[in-house]
Amino acid sequence: MFQTVARTGRKLISRRRLLPALSASIDNNFKASAFPQQFSFLLHYHQKRMVQGVTIANNCIVNTNPANGEIISRVPCTTKEELERTLSASCGAQPQWAATSLTDRIRLLRKGLEAIAAKKDAFVDMIVQEMGKPITEARVEVEGSVSRDEYFRVLQDALEPKKRGKNCQVVRQPLGVVAILSPWNFPVDEILLLALPALASGNAVLVKPSEVTPETGAMVVEALSSVLPPYVVQLAQGDGKIGSQIVAHPLVSMVAMTGSSSTGKKILQTCAASPTIKRLVLELGGKDPMVVFDDADLEQAASDAVTYSLSNTGQVCCSIERVYVALSIYEDFCERVVGHAETFKVGDGRDPTVKVGPMVSSIQLEIVKEHVKDAVEKGAKLLYQSPQMTEGTFHPVTVLSEVTDQMKVYREETFGPIVSLIPFDGTESSATRLANDSQYGLASSVYTKDLVKAERVANSIHAGQVGINCYSIENMDVGCPWVGHKQSGYGYHSGPEGFQQFSVPKSIVFNPK
């Protein structure tokens, strides 16, 4: 039942087989910010290649720690034959799982989270190793992922049959097999955000974790599969070859993915060419604005601007990446931001005093460096930069002022520990225009003591969620959907509306006589 897939030092890493005929393949997911290229026959037979900054050698992911370059494990990529068997098993298991009552399905999913909680420290350690997240943030991710009492209450209510009029009832039916392509930046929570409603709806699920965090993804699947019926939740791992095969496969009824907008577009194209129609939920990229009016609580706004620009080393789709500050308070605000930024220590995530870890890969590091270089060359001022690290993929905490719309750091998703400050004239019309000056529309925030004005501006911003004097994602009720407007999403997840994306309604109409 077990197969050795890696050796790290003297520690043997094993992975329980989720299908008897399968090797312990761990799938290489689309990186959080890019879609793997279409599979190349010739490329496949090279002994070694790079995919999204991750080395694939001898058909194995070379899983490395970005803080020091040490090899964590070598993870076999799922083969085409293994994928076929896995999906066939998923299809075979799904009807019986769908016939299980909703109450029992949710009861088992609760037990799955208990299985994760029982190994909390192992999950935290693996997150820190694989993607460099500071240990305090990794612990918050895991603990938050398994604390879902209210979540399950809302989930069950969203999926229960509903009466309509005197003689009708609307029930929800599963889709079949749902493929989940999860990112590396929240390698536990992002899988669960999509897998829990998919499974609760009666679907079988195939998880493809990011190639950057294959072991963490495998641990999540293993915990869930330990309490669920065989083959209801399964794992695939590999590079773009497997990713594109999963998306296009006729046995997959739905694809749910968190990643970049370019990734989402390519998934849409692949699904459009598929012989079967697929449903999609795509949470995509962002370039989130923060608007600070002159009557805002400047200390709170400055603290939030820094915290949520640098959280997870800035590697969050809803990071604050554009901070618009009213000109009359601009100089004061810049000073406050620098003061807060100076408290963010950069280093190995295993150090509990570290707030900013390494970039997830050398490729992502180069993107961030290029954005800063481009900004400075075009006139941005480098207000602050923490000391440079000589090893690993670390980027210093950086505060830029006088950022303009001609700079990459303004237009493109940076995904790094950068605070970008932009002065504006302080008017509502300018605030709205500037906040909407992006192809993205994931989240945003407005800071002012005038709540009537704040609500007017919030209603004018084209984004799925707007925080007023707060960071939206940390203060949202469990009943709220998570939505991307414009190029930031297709479909949505979370909240009753999002939970219902993983099933289809059916109206049962009784003779009214």
Side-chain angles (χ1 to χ4, degrees):
M1 288 296 292
F2 286 80
Q3 177 182 9
T4 300
V5 298
R7 185 184 298 271
T8 305
R10 296 182 178 178
K11 181 180 178 182
L12 213 58
I13 298 177
S14 296
R15 190 68 67 226
R16 184 164 63 89
R17 288 188 178 186
L18 302 179
L19 188 64
L22 295 183
S23 66
S25 315
I26 299 183
D27 176 70
N28 154 44
N29 173 36
F30 311 102
K31 180 175 179 271
S33 61
F35 186 88
Q37 297 299 311
Q38 289 293 319
F39 174 62
S40 164
F41 180 84
L42 292 176
L43 185 63
H44 176 64
Y45 288 98
H46 287 178
Q47 283 289 313
K48 183 174 181 179
R49 62 190 184 278
M50 293 289 289
V51 180
Q52 306 304 336
V54 176
T55 299
I56 308 293
N58 297 318
N59 206 40
C60 287
I61 299 167
V62 182
N63 189 22
T64 60
N65 184 330
N68 54 31
E70 292 179 357
I71 295 177
I72 302 166
S73 59
R74 298 179 187 274
V75 181
C77 299
T78 302
T79 67
K80 182 177 180 179
E81 293 74 21
E82 290 171 343
L83 180 63
E84 292 294 335
R85 293 197 294 272
T86 298
L87 287 173
S88 293
S90 296
C91 288
Q94 189 272 327
Q96 185 175 354
W97 175 242
T100 304
S101 71
L102 174 60
T103 297
D104 283 344
R105 292 199 298 264
I106 288 181
R107 177 181 58 81
L108 289 172
L109 292 175
R110 287 179 182 271
K111 291 182 68 176
L113 296 193
E114 291 171 3
I116 293 174
K119 297 182 178 180
K120 180 184 71 173
D121 291 343
F123 275 95
V124 169
D125 181 64
M126 188 57 70
I127 291 171
V128 174
Q129 286 191 65
E130 287 195 310
M131 55 85 54
K133 181 175 291 188
I135 192 168
T136 51
E137 292 188 8
R139 188 172 291 114
V140 167
E141 177 183 347
V142 176
E143 291 175 351
S145 295
V146 299
S147 301
R148 293 182 184 263
D149 287 343
E150 179 65 10
Y151 175 97
F152 280 121
R153 187 194 67 76
V154 175
L155 175 58
Q156 179 153 359
D157 182 69
L159 301 180
E160 292 280 11
K162 300 292 190 295
K163 285 197 68 175
R164 294 289 186 268
K166 295 181 179 180
N167 65 314
C168 299
Q169 185 180 51
V170 177
V171 298
R172 304 202 68 85
Q173 292 195 318
L175 300 168
V177 178
V178 175
I180 292 174
L181 313 178
S182 62
W184 48 260
N185 53 351
F186 292 90
V188 173
D189 192 49
E190 285 287 350
I191 291 176
L192 296 175
L193 281 174
L194 302 174
L196 293 178
L199 290 165
S201 297
N203 301 291
V205 164
L206 175 65
V207 176
K208 177 187 183 300
S210 168
E211 71 270 26
V212 177
T213 53
E215 295 283 7
T216 305
M219 290 167 67
V220 173
V221 173
E222 187 166 19
L224 293 177
S225 67
S226 70
V227 300
L228 297 180
Y231 317 136
V232 167
V233 59
Q234 297 197 84
L235 179 72
Q237 303 249 33
D239 57 9
K241 167 189 173 183
I242 291 299
S244 60
Q245 287 175 355
I246 290 171
V247 170
H249 202 286
L251 294 182
V252 172
S253 300
M254 178 179 182
V255 177
M257 186 277 295
T258 300
S260 73
S261 298
S262 60
T263 301
K265 291 175 183 177
K266 292 182 179 181
I267 289 176
L268 282 165
Q269 292 168 358
T270 301
C271 288
S274 171
T276 57
I277 294 175
K278 302 180 190 297
R279 294 177 182 268
L280 294 169
V281 168
L282 307 174
E283 180 196 332
L284 306 177
K287 191 71 181 176
D288 290 1
M290 173 181 181
V291 176
V292 185
F293 286 102
D294 58 8
D295 63 343
D297 180 335
L298 296 191
E299 189 61 22
Q300 180 64 53
S303 175
D304 285 359
V306 173
T307 297
Y308 301 115
S309 294
L310 304 182
S311 177
N312 202 21
T313 315
Q315 299 171 129
V316 185
C317 292
C318 55
S319 285
I320 294 174
E321 294 210 2
R322 295 175 291 146
V323 185
Y324 297 103
V325 185
L327 191 57
S328 61
I329 59 167
Y330 186 69
E331 185 174 341
D332 183 4
F333 190 82
C334 288
E335 291 177 1
R336 292 172 188 263
V337 163
V338 170
H340 284 287
E342 288 174 339
T343 69
F344 279 70
K345 179 181 176 181
V346 179
D348 192 316
R350 292 172 292 187
D351 180 348
T353 67
V354 162
K355 292 184 177 181
V356 175
M359 304 306 304
V360 75
S361 69
S362 58
I363 288 178
Q364 189 57 36
L365 174 62
E366 290 306 312
I367 290 171
V368 178
K369 289 167 66 175
E370 171 57 27
H371 280 203
V372 173
K373 178 175 178 288
D374 174 78
V376 172
E377 288 176 349
K378 292 176 179 176
K381 294 181 180 178
L382 189 61
L383 291 187
Y384 171 74
Q385 197 163 60
S386 62
Q388 296 277 352
M389 304 278 288
T390 57
E391 297 181 356
T393 57
F394 297 94
H395 191 283
V397 169
T398 301
V399 179
L400 297 170
S401 68
E402 315 306 322
V403 171
T404 72
D405 61 6
Q406 301 302 306
M407 301 171 184
K408 292 180 180 180
V409 77
Y410 183 103
R411 288 289 172 201
E412 301 175 13
E413 191 173 25
T414 302
F415 236 57
I418 312 299
V419 185
S420 296
L421 302 171
I422 308 156
F424 80 108
D425 63 16
T427 64
E428 287 185 48
S429 59
S430 292
T432 300
R433 175 179 58 81
L434 292 167
N436 289 330
D437 186 25
S438 173
Q439 64 176 317
Y440 300 107
L442 192 52
S444 59
S445 52
V446 178
Y447 284 72
T448 173
K449 294 175 182 175
D450 184 342
L451 298 185
V452 175
K453 176 171 70 174
E455 191 168 1
R456 282 198 303 267
V457 174
N459 282 322
S460 300
I461 293 175
H462 302 152
Q465 29 282 318
V466 183
I468 295 177
N469 297 318
C470 70
Y471 186 59
S472 62
I473 193 171
E474 288 206 346
N475 296 276
M476 289 174 67
D477 185 84
V478 69
C480 293
W482 185 255
V483 184
H485 290 196
K486 299 191 284 188
Q487 302 301 302
S488 288
Y490 187 96
Y492 40 87
H493 64 75
S494 299
E497 299 91 344
F499 297 153
Q500 291 176 348
Q501 299 290 302
F502 296 87
S503 59
V504 290
K506 174 193 284 186
S507 296
I508 298 176
V509 183
F510 295 90
N511 189 330
K513 295 179 182 179

